Amino acid sequence: MRNGGQLLVECLVALGARKAFGVPGESYLAVLDALHDTHGKLDYVLCRQEGGASFMAAAYGKLTGQPGLCMVTRGPGATNAAIGVHTAMQDSVPMILFVGQVGTDMKGREAFQELDYRAVFGTMAKWAVEIDRVERIPEILARAWSTAISGRPGPVVVALPEDMLTSMTDAAPLRGPVEITEPHPDPAAMERLREMLAGAERPLILYGGCNWKGPGTRPIQRFAEASDIPVVSVFRYQDQFDNHSPSFCGEAGVGMMPHVKALIREADVILAINARFGENATDGYTLLDVPQPRQRLIHVHGSDREIGKVYCPELAIQSGPNAFAEALGALAPVKGRWGAWRAEGRAAYEAGFDLPDLPSPVDMGKVCAHLRETLPEDMIVTNGAGNFAIWSGRFLKFGSEARLLAPQSGAMGYGVPAAIAAKLVHPAKTVLCFAGDGDFQMTSQELASAAQAGAQPIILVLNNGIYGTIRAHQERNYPTRVSGTEMTANPDFAALARAYGFHGERVERTEDFAAAFERALASPTGAVLDLVISPEALTPRQTLSQMREGALAAGKGR
Ligand SMILES: Cc1ncc(C[n+]2csc(CCOP(=O)(O)OP(=O)(O)O)c2C)c(N)n1
Ligand SMILES: [Mg+2]
């Protein structure tokens, strides 16, 4: 006999769980108690705010392909944690959020901190469930785990009524992990795909999604290079293909480069692999017509729920990304006259790295040029949301060993917890977080969690004193009318970092960056570098004043 809390933890250990990120609550004491006895098999990473914990779990899922686990208390904990659930959903990332719930004897009365989780998370998560019989814990956990990792991976929310955790049961725990193999593509469909590509004038490969195993796109790279086909990543998945490959032409994301838009618009056959057609990847659904694009579309996805969701493909192949990549790599290359078109796309991608001097004490163009030279091949880069994310997204090059953890949901505050989770998984790797001053302050309290767990990354705070992205929109639409976008009372970020036990430094000139970064790399306690950035240098090629002047000239404002 064991209680529900013990049963739950034993099942998680059997499934292969190694880490859970959480903030404690009296609602799930029995789980915390059971964790006491796992002897390090399932490590509880104590966080300071549930938003940080759920971001860590989402990032863990993205990095490892295993469900990132998060444990939080009832209503207040669950609502704080919601941001990570939403982010995991938009990122197609496996995650399980465990939330405390009031006892079954008082449910439905709006008892203390009560929430109806099925209703609250029903449209946000892949699945939301509440345990209502203690002996069903193994069944629910097996399904939660399988749901999180299969098809299009996503977050599952499991609510734990208090009496389900304290009741005794003789139900047997799960015995082992779930192994789910990917659906393989139909060989006849692969032939048809090859014919469509061979008959194209300008074929394009678009890819995305999170469940690649290792450098899973390598066979795609072989095929693309042998066939001279350009490859474009959807929003924030540029790390999953070797950026040094002559086939790689950039990212279809926010602020899409003109040549990437042109590639998608001009292509006549698009092979979309493991990609979800989001707003950012399609430039607001304008590059491809909804529902039937002019481009002949081949959509490959592991989930039947994604195929035909936005676009009606001419050929759909339900396959896991890795299985499909292998099958594509085994095809004979196709030959056509699109080589010059690919080369133009690649040249435009390369030319994108050449930047003018930026009007800023610290010039991020030069900082990124230095980072491209010095960062190791197996770096892990993270960021949240803000204009600063242009630098990690577009001005680094991701080789086949590198990873980028960046939220498709555009959630501010993701970068710091993601970097902590990455450092926990890969303590020996260089983990570098790009944060804005606004973005950093959403989750900076997790520096304490990092110090406690001994997982201290390097964090660059691009400090411009404004909520830059919103200020840019403001100047373009309401020029000169600054409202709610200035942070006039930021803390001393370097001092704050030191207070948390990190190495902290303020960098005031571009030429001081290299030495400061050396010290950051050498620091055994991670580092926060507070980079002084002018608000004028909000984008690589347009200043804030130019945005404002452009809007005034266009007759916006008064
Ligand atoms: C959680 C969350 N809140 C608000 C927003 C809206 N938002 C997007 S970018 C941004 C400003 C980011 O400012 P900062 O981190 O300083 O970066 P900067 O744009 O100045 O480089 C805001 C408020 C968001 N995306 N996520
Ligand atoms: Mg800012």
Side-chain angles (χ1 to χ4, degrees), residues 331-399:
L331 289 184
V334 288
K335 293 285 172 206
R337 281 175 306 190
W338 51 73
W341 182 64
R342 193 274 315 148
E344 245 174 66
R346 178 66 186 178
Y349 166 76
E350 289 286 6
F353 289 94
D354 296 332
L355 284 176
D357 291 345
L358 296 184
S360 173
V362 173
D363 178 335
M364 282 308 295
K366 298 199 168 47
V367 164
C368 285
H370 177 74
L371 292 173
R372 283 199 299 278
E373 295 295 312
T374 47
L375 282 172
E377 271 293 290
D378 62 352
M379 66 182 180
I380 301 174
V381 174
T382 75
N383 64 253
N387 262 50
F388 70 89
I390 292 171
W391 297 109
S392 40
R394 208 182 297 159
F395 291 93
L396 300 179
K397 274 190 180 167
F398 295 87

Side-chain angles (χ1 to χ4, degrees), residues 52-88:
S54 66
F55 275 147
M56 285 185 213
Y60 181 94
K62 193 170 204 172
L63 186 59
T64 65
Q66 293 297 300
L69 305 184
C70 184
M71 296 180 173
V72 302
T73 199
R74 302 171 180 184
T79 44
N80 266 347
I83 194 166
V85 176
H86 181 252
T87 296

Side-chain angles (χ1 to χ4, degrees), residues 436-438 462 464-468 487:
D437 49 337
L462 279 67
N464 58 10
I466 56 173
Y467 287 111
M487 286 175 276

Side-chain angles (χ1 to χ4, degrees), residues 122-280:
T123 57
M124 196 190 299
K126 193 173 172 188
W127 187 43
V129 64
E130 188 159 298
I131 293 176
D132 54 14
R133 311 252 321 174
V134 62
E135 62 274 16
R136 292 187 67 186
I137 286 177
E139 173 197 341
I140 303 283
L141 282 195
R143 180 164 165 196
W145 194 277
S146 305
T147 303
I149 60 177
S150 60
R152 175 185 165 194
V156 171
V157 176
V158 182
L160 311 167
E162 202 169 319
D163 50 327
M164 293 301 107
L165 299 177
T166 52
S167 301
M168 301 301 285
T169 174
D170 61 359
L174 295 169
R175 283 191 304 274
V178 185
E179 193 187 329
I180 299 179
T181 60
E182 292 183 8
H184 281 57
D186 170 14
M190 293 306 292
E191 268 316 305
R192 177 103 169 74
L193 169 151
R194 194 179 172 283
E195 273 164 31
M196 283 176 70
L197 289 177
E201 298 270 320
R202 286 177 303 279
L204 176 74
I205 295 178
L206 199 64
Y207 75 90
C210 92
N211 40 348
W212 298 99
K213 293 193 179 75
T217 57
R218 236 179 223 155
I220 300 176
Q221 184 182 344
R222 268 203 319 272
F223 179 81
E225 286 176 4
S227 307
D228 216 3
I229 295 178
V231 176
V232 165
S233 134
V234 301
F235 186 38
R236 296 192 157 162
Y237 280 112
Q238 56 268 53
D239 61 317
Q240 297 286 5
F241 194 93
D242 187 353
N243 294 183
H244 304 289
S245 161
S247 292
F248 185 75
C249 292
E251 177 211 9
V254 171
M256 202 184 302
M257 291 175 81
H259 78 273
V260 177
K261 284 187 197 177
L263 281 168
I264 299 176
R265 208 181 281 120
E266 292 164 9
D268 62 339
V269 175
I270 295 182
L271 168 57
I273 308 168
N274 200 36
R276 185 171 74 77
F277 289 100
E279 180 185 339
N280 293 313

